[in-house]
Structure formats: structure tokens, C-alpha cells
Amino acid sequence: MDDRKFRTAMGKFATGVTVIATEVEGDVHGMTANAFMSVSLDPKLVVVSIGEKAKILNKIKESKIFTVNILAADQQELSMIFAGQLKEHKEVTFDRLDGKPVLAGAVAQIACEVSAEHVEGDHTLFIGKVTDIHLEDAEPLVFYSGKYRSLTEEKAVTV
């Protein structure tokens, strides 16, 4: 199958939108990603998948830390900034969680220390040991089929 068909199929899986952040020598680096999931409850582990061409890849390898910021519905602009989709440069300020950079207003901020990394295909999977979490009561930003979406409440259907 061709790459476009594969990407289209993967885009059919509705996901939240995250910004992965790390810090090296006082400089914060971030990128938008939807390749994130929980791995284990005991110990508390998550995984992020970073492409070999991503600038943040070597930053995470060097720092051995990262945060996952699950964006709120009103944070689409942040997603676009960290995805390189906005031409104009915008200054983004970061808060701190367990000493690691996080985005204020995110539905969830998850601070992690890298516990393992695995190269698979053209990506590196970073397993992160969760060191702290901060939660907000807000609607998440959703991405489906190449477009940003929002959740709408539907009536429950019994199956």
C-alpha cells in the first residue's frame, strides 16, 4: 500500500492532541503529537513516538525528560504553533510541574523521566516514568481525519 493510504487509515482513529515538551540547558522545546498512550499502571508509564526527523528527538535523548500536555479545546493555536503550521512566531510561556516545562490550561499535564527508548522503523518510542500529573476540568482538543474537532455530548445508547 502507498504512504497516503496508510496515513489516511491512521487518521481515522480519533485522538486527543498533545504537545510534547522537554528542556535542554534552559531552552524549552516542544512538538505537537498524537502518538501517545498509557502503558502501565504499576509502575505508571506512558509512551510517546517521535519521528527520526523531529528536532525534539535528540533533545529528549539528551535531557532524559519530557512532558505530555493534553490540549484543551481552546488550545488549537498552541497545537498549530508546535506543529509548525503558523508562519508568525509566537512566544509561548511554560509553567512547571516537577521542575519540567508544561503548558498552562492543558486538560492534563504529565511529567515524565525517560525509562527506556526503542527505535522502531522511522520513530523512537520513549517510555516515560510518570513523576507527577496535573489535571484541569476542560474539554479536550480532538483530531480526526486531518481536522481539529471538539466533543459534543450525545445521549447514551445502551448496547
Side-chain angles (χ1 to χ4, degrees), residues 22 39 45-52 56-66 113-121 123-129:
T22 192
V39 173
L45 302 172
V46 297
V47 65
V48 294
S49 179
I50 309 292
E52 66 184 17
I56 200 171
L57 179 68
N58 288 323
K59 307 292 185 193
I60 294 174
K61 286 183 178 193
E62 184 179 341
S63 70
K64 301 292 187 201
I65 60 131
F66 64 89
E113 296 171 351
V114 174
S115 67
E117 57 184 80
H118 305 279
V119 176
E120 293 294 336
H123 279 63
T124 296
L125 305 176
F126 289 100
I127 308 293
K129 179 181 179 217

Side-chain angles (χ1 to χ4, degrees), residues 127-148:
I127 308 293
K129 179 181 179 217
V130 177
T131 60
D132 204 354
I133 289 177
H134 176 78
L135 302 172
E136 293 286 337
D137 188 22
E139 289 293 312
L141 183 60
V142 177
F143 199 72
Y144 173 74
S145 211
K147 294 181 181 150
Y148 292 100

